[in-house]
Amino acid sequence: MRPASLRRPVPALPPAPPPPGPSDAPNAFRLALLYTVVFVEIGIAMPFMPVWLNALHLDAGLIGGLLALPIAIRIVATAPLMGLIDRGFSARTLLLTGSLVLAATYALMPAGAAIGWGLLAVLIAINAVAAAPMVASIDYLTLAAVRLSAEEESAAQAGAGRAGTARPKRRLDYPRIRMAGSIGFLGANLAGGALLGVLGEAFAVPLLLTGLALIASAVAYASRDVAGGAGRVSPGTERPRLPRKLWLAIAAAALIQASHAAIYAFGSIAWSTAGVPGAWIGALWAIGVAAEILLFAVIGRVPAPWRSPFRLLALGAAAAILRAIGMAWAGDSLPALVGLQMLHAFTFGATHFGAMNAVSAFAPDGARGRAQGTVSSATALCSSMATLGCGVVYRSAGPATTFALMAPVAFAGLCLVGFAARVARRGG
């Protein structure tokens, strides 16, 4: 027996790691809350800012220019601002800063309008720059969280297989999280009109938007590590180019979304001219958003191969072609309009989900922020050009021709989907 003085000491076991805390894993609820507050704000601003500007008794041409200004700014500002994420600027900081600037500009707009339309235009421009990366930043965080949860699920399954025990771990579902934004947007549309009637147009709109922007800033401030750290990028990370198949997928999605231009700009006018009651016009828009929400709720149960980027984009393009033709042929029939509005689930929902899947699957690390911003900028550019074209055609040829011309736009998107899939199969 060895003397006690010569015995080798037994090394102490390392302490067990602490259990993961709430900030160590993606949080679906907080991501959904971010979508909700931002889309409620959008749901008030989009339909009711024109009403507020009109209540100021501004010239119609000036109102049009002030409303076009944010669209132009979104085209040029979104991608560069989102590119800051690839240089180490956090998406949460973009959200927090943008929300605070939105609150300040909304609060100052009544005073700016009283001083002069030039100052009001400056405030609207600053407001548009702050708003440009908001939704794209939440998409960036959510897609990062979804990728992290998928990696954790795979690791848990591999560990369970080695241990011989089943440890199911449910991954995050982007459409179900994003669905919260659509619900918030619909609720804002429905409640905004009632609040406007109670508080008055000139007072309610800036007040509501200021309050909502402050709420959004509070939620963004409380959303530290909402993506479980997956959204962080080191400042020294390489910034590679976007692959060709991703560029083609983004262009396809932008064209498919641009095919909505005729409905967005002239749908209500055409339906009213065709004799559709005002209450039904509002209901038709609600049906479209409800169909979009339903798709986001159930698409996660569809087999994974059918949720690939190219299949979803192709589905969106095919539905957009059918919707455009249907609007041209039967756009004055209320039963037909109900069915055509339900196609919004695919023309918008499937297209959007396909674009997000393409970014998540094809964008390299160090370029994901830029890719996310490029989707928004490209969509805004194509949609604005399509809207301008619709205005010219609607004035000269009427609604049927305007809606019909959206079919070739969607078909061009479908062709790009096929081209992108071919490039991907060849490894491009």
Side-chain angles (χ1 to χ4, degrees):
M1 183 174 180
R2 301 175 67 182
S5 60
L6 299 179
R7 292 176 188 171
R8 182 175 299 174
V10 178
L13 295 175
S23 64
D24 297 325
N27 190 302
F29 173 76
R30 287 189 292 162
L31 288 166
L33 186 59
L34 277 172
Y35 275 118
T36 301
V37 295
V38 169
F39 271 87
V40 166
E41 182 182 332
I42 296 172
I44 296 293
M46 185 180 292
F48 299 118
M49 272 297 288
V51 176
W52 179 70
L53 293 173
N54 186 62
L56 299 176
H57 305 292
L58 299 177
D59 178 74
L62 178 58
I63 291 175
L66 293 175
L67 294 176
L69 185 59
I71 300 174
I73 289 174
R74 180 185 170 194
I75 293 171
V76 300
T78 307
L81 287 172
M82 289 299 296
L84 294 174
I85 297 175
D86 301 326
R87 292 168 169 80
F89 200 83
S90 74
R92 172 179 170 270
T93 303
L94 272 180
L95 285 168
L96 178 57
T97 305
S99 296
L100 290 173
V101 174
L102 285 173
T105 51
Y106 281 133
L108 291 171
M109 280 183 189
I115 295 173
W117 69 266
L119 180 56
L120 178 60
V122 171
L123 290 171
I124 289 176
I126 297 172
N127 181 282
V129 173
M134 295 290 287
V135 175
S137 295
I138 308 175
D139 282 335
Y140 174 89
L141 288 172
T142 305
L143 291 176
V146 169
R147 287 192 299 273
L148 178 61
S149 71
E151 294 170 1
E152 291 177 344
E153 182 188 50
S154 299
Q157 289 175 347
R162 288 192 296 269
T165 58
R167 294 178 58 192
K169 187 177 180 65
R170 185 178 180 182
R171 72 172 65 186
L172 296 185
D173 186 2
Y174 170 81
R176 292 181 70 86
I177 297 173
R178 171 60 177 77
M179 178 179 66
S182 298
I183 294 173
F185 183 85
L186 179 60
N189 286 170
L190 297 175
L195 288 172
L196 208 66
V198 173
L199 300 176
E201 297 171 353
F203 176 74
V205 176
L207 174 66
L208 285 174
L209 291 174
T210 301
L212 289 169
L214 288 173
I215 293 172
S217 64
V219 174
Y221 179 78
S223 297
R224 186 182 301 276
D225 290 331
V226 72
R232 299 193 196 102
V233 176
S234 171
T237 302
E238 182 185 359
R239 293 184 289 276
R241 294 181 178 180
L242 301 182
R244 189 183 183 193
K245 58 189 174 184
L246 179 56
W247 277 112
L248 290 169
I250 290 173
L255 286 172
I256 300 166
Q257 296 289 17
S259 70
H260 292 93
I263 294 178
Y264 288 167
F266 298 103
S268 296
I269 298 173
W271 299 337
S272 177
T273 303
V276 176
W280 265 106
I281 291 176
L284 287 171
W285 288 113
I287 287 170
V289 180
E292 167 193 326
I293 293 170
L294 180 61
L295 177 77
F296 284 149
V298 304
I299 197 170
R301 302 176 184 177
V302 176
W306 286 96
R307 287 183 277 122
S308 69
F310 302 130
R311 286 189 174 181
L312 286 168
L313 289 171
L315 176 61
I321 294 170
L322 178 61
R323 190 180 187 186
I325 296 173
M327 286 293 298
W329 284 358
D332 55 353
S333 169
L334 184 56
L337 287 173
V338 171
L340 292 169
Q341 282 299 95
M342 293 177 69
L343 288 175
H344 190 75
F346 306 108
T347 60
F348 174 83
T351 302
H352 176 76
F353 189 29
M356 295 301 100
N357 275 2
V359 170
S360 187
F362 304 144
D365 290 333
R368 295 189 182 277
R370 179 160 35 100
Q372 201 74 57
T374 302
V375 173
S376 297
S377 292
T379 302
L381 175 61
C382 291
S383 297
S384 61
M385 294 176 63
T387 302
L388 291 173
C390 286
V392 174
V393 175
Y394 192 91
R395 183 173 60 247
S396 60
T401 304
T402 305
F403 293 130
L405 285 179
M406 294 297 98
V409 176
F411 181 73
L414 182 60
C415 292
L416 284 179
V417 173
F419 190 24
R422 184 179 179 183
V423 170
R425 284 195 298 268
R426 292 183 175 181

